[in-house]
PDB file of all heavy atoms in Angstrom:
ATOM      1  N   PHE A  79       3.527  11.170 -10.328  1.00  0.00           N
ATOM      2  CA  PHE A  79       2.903  12.535 -10.404  1.00  0.00           C
ATOM      3  C   PHE A  79       3.957  13.621 -10.487  1.00  0.00           C
ATOM      4  O   PHE A  79       3.952  14.595 -11.305  1.00  0.00           O
ATOM      5  CB  PHE A  79       1.998  12.801  -9.260  1.00  0.00           C
ATOM      6  CG  PHE A  79       1.462  14.139  -9.176  1.00  0.00           C
ATOM      7  CD1 PHE A  79       0.405  14.530  -9.991  1.00  0.00           C
ATOM      8  CD2 PHE A  79       2.011  15.170  -8.356  1.00  0.00           C
ATOM      9  CE1 PHE A  79      -0.091  15.851 -10.067  1.00  0.00           C
ATOM     10  CE2 PHE A  79       1.467  16.451  -8.331  1.00  0.00           C
ATOM     11  CZ  PHE A  79       0.448  16.776  -9.131  1.00  0.00           C
ATOM     12  N   LEU A  80       5.087  13.491  -9.760  1.00  0.00           N
ATOM     13  CA  LEU A  80       6.144  14.456  -9.674  1.00  0.00           C
ATOM     14  C   LEU A  80       6.823  14.463 -11.115  1.00  0.00           C
ATOM     15  O   LEU A  80       7.187  15.482 -11.583  1.00  0.00           O
ATOM     16  CB  LEU A  80       7.140  14.214  -8.533  1.00  0.00           C
ATOM     17  CG  LEU A  80       6.666  14.521  -7.143  1.00  0.00           C
ATOM     18  CD1 LEU A  80       7.700  14.033  -6.120  1.00  0.00           C
ATOM     19  CD2 LEU A  80       6.391  16.004  -7.019  1.00  0.00           C
ATOM     20  N   VAL A  81       7.045  13.268 -11.543  1.00  0.00           N
ATOM     21  CA  VAL A  81       7.841  13.187 -12.872  1.00  0.00           C
ATOM     22  C   VAL A  81       6.964  13.852 -13.976  1.00  0.00           C
ATOM     23  O   VAL A  81       7.453  14.572 -14.786  1.00  0.00           O
ATOM     24  CB  VAL A  81       8.194  11.705 -13.249  1.00  0.00           C
ATOM     25  CG1 VAL A  81       8.572  11.637 -14.680  1.00  0.00           C
ATOM     26  CG2 VAL A  81       9.272  11.160 -12.311  1.00  0.00           C
ATOM     27  N   LEU A  82       5.649  13.562 -13.939  1.00  0.00           N
ATOM     28  CA  LEU A  82       4.778  14.143 -14.984  1.00  0.00           C
ATOM     29  C   LEU A  82       4.725  15.642 -14.791  1.00  0.00           C
ATOM     30  O   LEU A  82       4.751  16.403 -15.756  1.00  0.00           O
ATOM     31  CB  LEU A  82       3.435  13.637 -14.802  1.00  0.00           C
ATOM     32  CG  LEU A  82       3.172  12.249 -15.524  1.00  0.00           C
ATOM     33  CD1 LEU A  82       1.691  11.806 -15.304  1.00  0.00           C
ATOM     34  CD2 LEU A  82       3.522  12.303 -16.987  1.00  0.00           C
ATOM     35  N   SER A  83       4.612  16.141 -13.595  1.00  0.00           N
ATOM     36  CA  SER A  83       4.468  17.581 -13.354  1.00  0.00           C
ATOM     37  C   SER A  83       5.889  18.343 -13.719  1.00  0.00           C
ATOM     38  O   SER A  83       5.726  19.469 -14.257  1.00  0.00           O
ATOM     39  CB  SER A  83       4.069  17.964 -11.883  1.00  0.00           C
ATOM     40  OG  SER A  83       5.099  17.452 -11.028  1.00  0.00           O
ATOM     41  N   VAL A  84       6.952  17.724 -13.522  1.00  0.00           N
ATOM     42  CA  VAL A  84       8.231  18.338 -13.783  1.00  0.00           C
ATOM     43  C   VAL A  84       8.353  18.382 -15.370  1.00  0.00           C
ATOM     44  O   VAL A  84       8.905  19.441 -15.862  1.00  0.00           O
ATOM     45  CB  VAL A  84       9.420  17.570 -13.168  1.00  0.00           C
ATOM     46  CG1 VAL A  84      10.721  18.005 -13.728  1.00  0.00           C
ATOM     47  CG2 VAL A  84       9.374  17.813 -11.661  1.00  0.00           C
ATOM     48  N   ASN A  85       8.016  17.352 -15.956  1.00  0.00           N
ATOM     49  CA  ASN A  85       8.135  17.344 -17.451  1.00  0.00           C
ATOM     50  C   ASN A  85       7.039  17.839 -18.266  1.00  0.00           C
ATOM     51  O   ASN A  85       7.068  17.877 -19.479  1.00  0.00           O
ATOM     52  CB  ASN A  85       8.528  15.886 -17.924  1.00  0.00           C
ATOM     53  CG  ASN A  85       9.906  15.389 -17.489  1.00  0.00           C
ATOM     54  OD1 ASN A  85      10.808  16.248 -17.441  1.00  0.00           O
ATOM     55  ND2 ASN A  85      10.000  14.204 -17.041  1.00  0.00           N
ATOM     56  N   SER A  86       5.950  18.183 -17.615  1.00  0.00           N
ATOM     57  CA  SER A  86       4.690  18.524 -18.399  1.00  0.00           C
ATOM     58  C   SER A  86       4.895  19.864 -19.200  1.00  0.00           C
ATOM     59  O   SER A  86       4.284  19.931 -20.249  1.00  0.00           O
ATOM     60  CB  SER A  86       3.505  18.736 -17.456  1.00  0.00           C
ATOM     61  OG  SER A  86       3.761  19.836 -16.580  1.00  0.00           O
ATOM     62  N   TYR A  87       5.792  20.726 -18.779  1.00  0.00           N
ATOM     63  CA  TYR A  87       6.002  21.906 -19.559  1.00  0.00           C
ATOM     64  C   TYR A  87       6.613  21.583 -20.978  1.00  0.00           C
ATOM     65  O   TYR A  87       6.503  22.436 -21.891  1.00  0.00           O
ATOM     66  CB  TYR A  87       6.879  22.959 -18.785  1.00  0.00           C
ATOM     67  CG  TYR A  87       8.371  22.564 -18.743  1.00  0.00           C
ATOM     68  CD1 TYR A  87       9.213  22.985 -19.639  1.00  0.00           C
ATOM     69  CD2 TYR A  87       8.786  21.706 -17.717  1.00  0.00           C
ATOM     70  CE1 TYR A  87      10.567  22.728 -19.564  1.00  0.00           C
ATOM     71  CE2 TYR A  87      10.106  21.448 -17.645  1.00  0.00           C
ATOM     72  CZ  TYR A  87      10.980  21.859 -18.514  1.00  0.00           C
ATOM     73  OH  TYR A  87      12.268  21.490 -18.481  1.00  0.00           O
ATOM     74  N   LYS A  88       7.240  20.434 -21.210  1.00  0.00           N
ATOM     75  CA  LYS A  88       7.809  20.137 -22.401  1.00  0.00           C
ATOM     76  C   LYS A  88       6.853  19.454 -23.317  1.00  0.00           C
ATOM     77  O   LYS A  88       7.111  19.350 -24.575  1.00  0.00           O
ATOM     78  CB  LYS A  88       8.996  19.205 -22.230  1.00  0.00           C
ATOM     79  CG  LYS A  88      10.226  19.844 -21.502  1.00  0.00           C
ATOM     80  CD  LYS A  88      11.394  18.871 -21.443  1.00  0.00           C
ATOM     81  CE  LYS A  88      12.553  19.404 -20.745  1.00  0.00           C
ATOM     82  NZ  LYS A  88      13.600  18.504 -20.582  1.00  0.00           N
ATOM     83  N   LEU A  89       5.769  19.025 -22.868  1.00  0.00           N
ATOM     84  CA  LEU A  89       4.811  18.282 -23.705  1.00  0.00           C
ATOM     85  C   LEU A  89       3.885  19.199 -24.521  1.00  0.00           C
ATOM     86  O   LEU A  89       3.463  20.244 -23.967  1.00  0.00           O
ATOM     87  CB  LEU A  89       3.847  17.422 -22.752  1.00  0.00           C
ATOM     88  CG  LEU A  89       4.598  16.369 -21.916  1.00  0.00           C
ATOM     89  CD1 LEU A  89       3.535  15.644 -20.996  1.00  0.00           C
ATOM     90  CD2 LEU A  89       5.339  15.334 -22.786  1.00  0.00           C
ATOM     91  N   GLN A  90       3.770  18.794 -25.692  1.00  0.00           N
ATOM     92  CA  GLN A  90       2.841  19.534 -26.573  1.00  0.00           C
ATOM     93  C   GLN A  90       2.063  18.569 -27.442  1.00  0.00           C
ATOM     94  O   GLN A  90       2.612  17.580 -27.894  1.00  0.00           O
ATOM     95  CB  GLN A  90       3.662  20.453 -27.539  1.00  0.00           C
ATOM     96  CG  GLN A  90       4.404  21.563 -26.973  1.00  0.00           C
ATOM     97  CD  GLN A  90       5.158  22.348 -28.025  1.00  0.00           C
ATOM     98  OE1 GLN A  90       5.397  21.911 -29.114  1.00  0.00           O
ATOM     99  NE2 GLN A  90       5.351  23.615 -27.740  1.00  0.00           N
ATOM    100  N   ALA A  91       0.812  18.854 -27.517  1.00  0.00           N
ATOM    101  CA  ALA A  91      -0.075  17.974 -28.239  1.00  0.00           C
ATOM    102  C   ALA A  91      -0.397  18.626 -29.543  1.00  0.00           C
ATOM    103  O   ALA A  91      -0.991  19.728 -29.551  1.00  0.00           O
ATOM    104  CB  ALA A  91      -1.323  17.638 -27.476  1.00  0.00           C
TER     105      ALA A  91
END
Side-chain angles (χ1 to χ4, degrees):
F79 176 76
L80 287 173
V81 168
L82 279 179
S83 63
V84 168
N85 289 324
S86 65
Y87 72 94
K88 292 183 180 178
L89 300 177
Q90 291 181 337

